[in-house]
Amino acid sequence: MLTQTHAIQFSDPLPLQSGARIRDYTLMYETYGTLNAAGDNAVLICHALNASHHVAGINAQGELGWWDNMVGAGKPVDTNRFFVVGVNNLGSCFGSTGPMHNNPDTGKPYGADFPLITVEDWVDAQKRLMDALNIKQWAAVMGGSLGGMQALAWSVHYPNAVRNCVVIASTTKLSAQNIAFNDVARQAILNDPDFHGGHFYAHGVVPRQGLRVARMIGHITYLSDDDMAEKFGRDLRNSADYGFNYGVEFEIESYLRYQGDKFADYFDANTYLLTTKALDYYDAAREFGGDLSRALAATQARYLIASFSTDWRFSPECSRELVKALVKNKRAVTYAEIDAPHGHDAFLLSDARYHNVVKAYFDLIPTQADA
Amino acid sequence: MLTQTHAIQFSDPLPLQSGARIRDYTLMYETYGTLNAAGDNAVLICHALNASHHVAGINAQGELGWWDNMVGAGKPVDTNRFFVVGVNNLGSCFGSTGPMHNNPDTGKPYGADFPLITVEDWVDAQKRLMDALNIKQWAAVMGGSLGGMQALAWSVHYPNAVRNCVVIASTTKLSAQNIAFNDVARQAILNDPDFHGGHFYAHGVVPRQGLRVARMIGHITYLSDDDMAEKFGRDLRNSADYGFNYGVEFEIESYLRYQGDKFADYFDANTYLLTTKALDYYDAAREFGGDLSRALAATQARYLIASFSTDWRFSPECSRELVKALVKNKRAVTYAEIDAPHGHDAFLLSDARYHNVVKAYFDLIPTQADA
């Protein structure tokens, strides 16, 4: 399946939670499958930190979508039945308006002046795309990690617009430990001399070292301790003996540095900063004095919540808290706690038990068959 | 108790596992209590990453020893009965010969040329101090974390020299995840432009940003998730609302940045690098084809092993592995798994159950009373 990327422009300023506004912005999106005549088979996929609108299939650059194992013909989110929309969020570095684009007020790249965006802001921007696509109600909004926060926020802020809400490996709010990891990563970027206060584009440089460290920290937290032990253990890369220097020595060092280098090659530092800040800020119960049950009182969707046993970044405990608050509101909730060894990364991987749960759930979502 | 710091010089070159040698080196140490006539009441305390020879009491700079709650008159390691020795390791930045001192071969600071040191090298250097102090056998060698590795290495490499070996919150080898955290911290330092390949002393600068990030990462891993949630949660520092910028905002950010700044003020970057490398390299079973039981076959000491339930950096599982291998060798082992909320840091904190275990153990170590 060769996918086509679409760009849609919005001239109306989008008001943000910070009080700032963004005008003349573009959202990139892809669609898979066909919207039926009843318009009741549309599914929105929200992306996490470093992903994009390219969810499934192969794009013009030859890249496979980041959730291609989940979305496609005959896959858990079956594009033979569903019309799936992948959207790239504001502030991203994959095509939608972000820090590297020109600020219409100055004619220069936003850089660090790009406003901070919240999960709720992203959802508001996605709502405009929904309207533009003439979709009246999503059959489902779905996401993992930060994407799961967006799915949840959809069901809270646009309760009529979401029939099913699918929240995977996510949480209603980050823990202090999560915020701490994000802040250290941000500090590494902010204090990189090549960051230039966020206006590094003008200097023709990239804060590579900061991005590398940020990604390495992140990567450690996406894997489980056991998974790392299994994959890398204490194996040495090139030699039977220690080298007694600071070069690459253990396999795990080689792996992490490679991940860090790769990330620094393609990811934007300002996007990293604002995305981790959106993660830190999200707190579903915040407007309701910390009472999650109350925060969910207006919801109308049915829910599928899934978590992974070895995910210590967004632990099963976080998902169970959400499930409890939904049950307290008498919402229909399916909860799957998947025993999987791959930590937080599990939500992106192919796992039969996980995919069967999602498939079974989507198979039971009624849509009107076209004549 | 006002303590006095001693310096002892060794002119004989010390051969290191790397093949390098160190000559004309100094070790700083402190002693507490009195060596009895039989010479059988001496206890060696080995320090971890950022500590020193100043274990107990108040030194000339007015600083309290890092394990003052553990060592002193009437304390778990009772200086009314025991003669306690605290020693600063080679490569440290607290007085013993380290990277900031002159290399006798060049007359210039070692900097990054200071040889990498292993846990076993430290033990060899400590053995020379033992001989110089005319101590025939330690009543106990004791340490937490990296200090516990040294205590264990003493019992393996100098089995006759150790009657009791006390290993707290430690492990026989780091996991891949631990090595990963150490390597990211090292990368932050090595790539700080102020590091100058380790010769920053000559440039009159310090790789502060690298040290800050390294310490912040470390600090996250020393605390438990629950402890952080309890102490900081999602509390904001100065305002009821989000600031929508990258300044200090959450309490946990303020705490970590403070810890990072403080560390960068006093700790040496080269010491940090070589100490984390010593941690990564230590593997008690390495010379024995990975067979821990075999590695411990020559030991003669009795053991006290202690771990803490929420320590995810050096987990109870690591200690249990050590206990199992000792029991397989029919060694006398006391094992305490302390239910404590404070993560790895717990080994430095006052906790009645923990201190009672150590006290009971030391109270039962026989020493000859002086006439």
Side-chain angles (χ1 to χ4, degrees), chain A residues 263-325:
Chain A
F263 192 68
D265 282 342
Y266 78 82
F267 208 78
D268 178 73
N270 286 310
T271 294
Y272 193 89
L273 294 174
L274 72 85
T275 307
T276 56
K277 219 44 192 169
L279 271 163
D280 292 359
Y281 278 168
Y282 184 64
D283 181 352
R286 191 158 189 269
E287 297 162 53
F288 299 86
D291 184 338
L292 187 59
S293 299
R294 241 171 16 97
L296 301 171
T299 59
Q300 299 181 27
R302 305 170 67 88
Y303 289 83
L304 170 60
I305 316 289
S307 69
F308 300 93
S309 54
T310 59
D311 182 352
W312 57 283
R313 189 85 190 246
F314 295 85
S315 68
E317 204 186 339
C318 299
S319 287
R320 275 186 244 125
E321 239 176 77
L322 171 58
V323 170
K324 245 163 69 178

Side-chain angles (χ1 to χ4, degrees), chain B residues 50-124:
Chain B
N50 67 329
S52 73
H53 50 288
H54 182 39
V55 175
I58 294 170
N59 66 9
Q61 288 76 49
E63 298 158 340
L64 195 68
W66 59 270
W67 223 353
D68 187 74
N69 59 27
M70 180 67 84
V71 175
K75 296 183 181 172
V77 181
D78 190 346
T79 52
N80 290 329
R81 284 189 66 220
F82 292 101
F83 173 66
V84 178
V85 178
V87 60
N88 187 217
N89 282 327
L90 276 174
S92 169
C93 51
F94 296 118
S96 294
T97 298
M100 70 293 304
H101 294 120
N102 279 351
N103 180 346
D105 293 339
T106 66
K108 288 182 186 160
Y110 281 102
D113 301 333
F114 197 87
L116 261 65
I117 312 250
T118 65
V119 166
E120 290 84 356
D121 293 333
W122 279 329
V123 168
D124 288 344

Side-chain angles (χ1 to χ4, degrees), chain B residues 88 101 128 141 275 282 355:
Chain B
N88 187 217
H101 294 120
R128 289 189 176 183
V141 179
T275 307
Y282 185 64
H355 278 191

Side-chain angles (χ1 to χ4, degrees), chain A residues 232-254:
Chain A
F232 306 104
R234 296 180 50 86
D235 294 351
L236 297 175
R237 181 142 184 83
N238 289 317
S239 158
D241 206 352
Y242 294 148
F244 295 100
N245 62 55
Y246 299 119
V248 172
E249 195 153 17
F250 290 95
E251 285 286 357
I252 181 66
E253 295 174 330
S254 166

Side-chain angles (χ1 to χ4, degrees), chain A residues 49 91 99 258:
Chain A
L49 199 150
Y258 171 77

Side-chain angles (χ1 to χ4, degrees), chain B residues 130-146:
Chain B
M130 180 191 189
D131 295 340
L133 293 177
N134 209 19
I135 293 165
K136 300 299 170 213
Q137 189 182 49
W138 298 110
V141 179
M142 172 178 186
S145 190
L146 177 56

